[in-house]
Amino acid sequence: MSNFNQVWDSHTPNLASVVRDCQQLPSVRAIAYYIVLYNIGHAMPDPDQSCSALLIDKNVDAFATAICETMPRFSQAVIYSQLVYVLSPPMQQVAENVIGLLSKLIGTQPTRLSLAHVEITNRLTSITAAASLQSIALSTFQGQELETALVQRNASTLERIWIESTTPLALVALVRLSSQPLEVCTYSRLLHFVAQWSHGQRDPDGWQPPVNPFPRLKTLTCRGFFPYTLPVVLAECQTHLCHLDIELDAVFLAALDQANVLAKGAFAKLSYLSLSWLNHAHARPYNRNSLFYKSLDLCQNTHTLCLRWMKLANITQLVAKVQFPQMLHNLDMPFTMLNIDQAIAILCACPQALKANLSLADIGAGSGKGMPAPGLLIKYQNKYTGCAART
C-alpha cells in the first residue's frame, strides 16, 4: 500500500475514498503510517483560516473507519513521525493535533505496535486500554509515567519488547509497579527483550527487582549499562535463554562472579553469545582475558560467538590453552585488533567455524586495510593450511 503524507485539512482530499477503492484486503496484517510534518512556506494557506480542528478530527475518523472496513484483519500498526522543517506556531498546533489523533489509526485491537518519534499521550494509552499487545517497539523510552503504563498494561500478553534508545533507570522503572513500589511487574510471556542503546549511569543505591521479571525469556539484548544488576535476573534465565547480547563492566561482572552465574555450562541452551566490555578503553588486560575464558565456558553449545573490544594479552598463548565450542559456526571479534599470526592461531583453534570476522592490525607499507603485504600471502596461506591439516 502506498504511503501518504497527509495534512488533514480542507485543502487536502480525504483519503478514505482512496482506501475504499482498494476493496477488501483481508491478507493485510500490518499498516505503516509516515507522518511527515513540513512547512512549505507561502504555498501553505493560513492555518488560522483553513484548518479546523473539527474537520481534521472528522477526516481522521473517516480514514480510520475506511482502514478497518477494507483491512479487517490488520493487527500491527507502525507510526513514524518526522519533522522536516521548523513549523510556525499555528502549524505546530495543527501538527500536534494530528499526532494526537493517530491513536484512531491504530485500531481497537492491535497485537503489535511500533511508535517512532511519537509522543505517548493519554489519548493513545486510553484507546489501547482494551488491547492485548504481543509486541511493542519504541524508538525512545525514558521511563515516563504514560509510556511505562502503556507497556506495563500489557505485561501479561507481551512476547516482544524492542526499545532503541533508553536509560538504565527507565528500564528499571519498566519492571517496577508504580502502585506498589516494592513489587515487581512480571512479564510472564515475554520471550524477546531488546534495548539497543542504554545511555547514562545506573543508580548504585536504587531499587532493583529482587526476582526475575522475565521468567520465560529466550532473547536478551542490552547495549550500554545493563540495568538489572542483581544476579537473580540472569541466573533465573539460565535454563531457557538462547540469545544473550550484553555489555559488562567491572562491578556487574564481579556480582555475577560472586553468584557463580557465569559458571561453565550454566546457559545450556545458549546458541548466540555476544559479550563486550562497556568501558573497553579502561579494562585491564587481565580482566579482558578473564572475560574471554568465561565466554568460552558459557558457549559450549553456541553456534555464534561475538566478542567485542577484547584487546587480549598474549593472544597466541591464550588461544593454545582454551577450547572453542565444537558447534561454533560463526566467530565475530570486531574491534579486537589482531596481527596475522594471532588471527591464524584463532582460526586454527576453531576449524569448524564457517565464518569469521576478525580485525587485522598488520598494516605494512603498501598493504592497506590491515592485510599482509602481497608477498606474504602465500606464506600465511601455507601456514594456515598446515595448521588446519593438523587439526
Side-chain angles (χ1 to χ4, degrees), residues 60-356:
V60 173
D61 270 340
F63 184 71
T65 301
I67 287 288
C68 292
E69 292 174 352
T70 308
M71 301 163 231
R73 300 181 66 183
F74 92 90
S75 60
Q76 177 179 8
V78 183
I79 300 178
Y80 299 88
S81 173
Q82 181 179 4
L83 181 61
V84 178
Y85 298 111
V86 177
L87 299 176
S88 62
M91 280 309 303
Q92 183 64 41
Q93 184 62 43
V94 173
E96 290 175 356
N97 188 30
V98 173
I99 291 177
L101 296 170
L102 286 178
S103 53
K104 294 183 178 181
L105 304 179
I106 294 174
T108 57
Q109 293 291 326
T111 58
R112 293 180 291 171
L113 179 62
S114 300
L115 301 176
H117 312 294
V118 175
E119 182 180 358
I120 296 176
T121 62
N122 280 313
R123 199 168 191 175
L124 179 61
T125 54
S126 64
I127 202 168
T128 58
S132 296
L133 291 177
Q134 297 174 11
S135 172
I136 190 167
L138 304 172
S139 63
T140 58
F141 180 81
Q142 300 303 310
Q144 297 176 2
E145 183 178 353
L146 286 178
E147 56 187 4
T148 301
L150 175 62
V151 180
Q152 289 188 346
R153 182 180 292 162
N154 295 277
S156 63
T157 58
L158 277 169
E159 297 177 1
R160 178 180 181 270
I161 295 176
W162 187 92
I163 297 172
E164 184 173 343
S165 180
T166 185
T167 68
L169 296 181
L171 294 177
V172 169
L174 194 65
V175 301
R176 184 178 189 181
L177 289 174
S178 58
S179 58
Q180 299 174 331
L182 298 180
E183 297 294 326
V184 176
C185 179
T186 301
Y187 296 79
S188 56
R189 298 181 60 183
L190 194 70
L191 301 177
H192 309 285
F193 182 85
V194 177
Q196 287 287 10
W197 304 111
S198 177
H199 303 285
Q201 300 287 327
R202 305 187 195 97
D203 179 0
D205 301 318
W207 180 87
Q208 285 286 321
V211 296
N212 181 20
F214 317 115
R216 296 181 59 190
L217 205 61
K218 291 187 176 181
T219 298
L220 175 59
T221 296
C222 184
R223 299 288 178 84
F225 276 105
F226 191 74
Y228 312 119
T229 54
L230 290 183
V232 65
V233 176
L234 278 180
E236 294 187 4
C237 288
Q238 288 176 332
T239 59
H240 42 81
L241 202 62
C242 300
H243 180 118
L244 178 61
D245 182 351
I246 59 174
E247 295 183 337
L248 298 171
D249 59 274
V251 174
F252 185 40
L253 181 58
L256 295 178
D257 276 344
Q258 186 174 4
N260 206 29
V261 174
L262 302 182
K264 186 172 183 178
F267 293 82
K269 293 187 177 180
L270 207 60
S271 62
Y272 180 99
L273 175 64
S274 176
L275 295 179
S276 58
W277 280 106
L278 179 63
N279 296 319
H280 51 82
H282 306 294
R284 293 176 297 178
Y286 169 77
N287 288 336
R288 296 176 190 273
N289 286 2
S290 175
L291 185 58
F292 183 74
Y293 285 124
K294 294 180 186 300
S295 302
L296 295 182
D297 284 343
L298 287 180
C299 65
Q300 296 303 304
N301 299 314
T302 298
H303 296 158
T304 299
L305 175 61
C306 180
L307 301 172
R308 296 181 179 88
W309 303 106
M310 281 291 162
K311 196 176 180 180
L312 302 168
N314 304 315
I315 296 178
T316 305
Q317 295 87 338
L318 178 67
V319 170
K321 298 177 182 178
V322 299
Q323 182 177 2
F324 283 82
Q326 293 300 311
M327 300 177 67
L328 185 66
H329 293 162
N330 299 297
L331 177 64
D332 191 10
M333 298 181 67
F335 313 111
T336 298
M337 303 311 296
L338 309 168
N339 61 41
I340 189 67
D341 293 296
Q342 293 168 337
I344 288 177
I346 288 176
L347 292 175
C348 290
C350 49
Q352 69 282 6
L354 303 177
K355 181 180 178 181

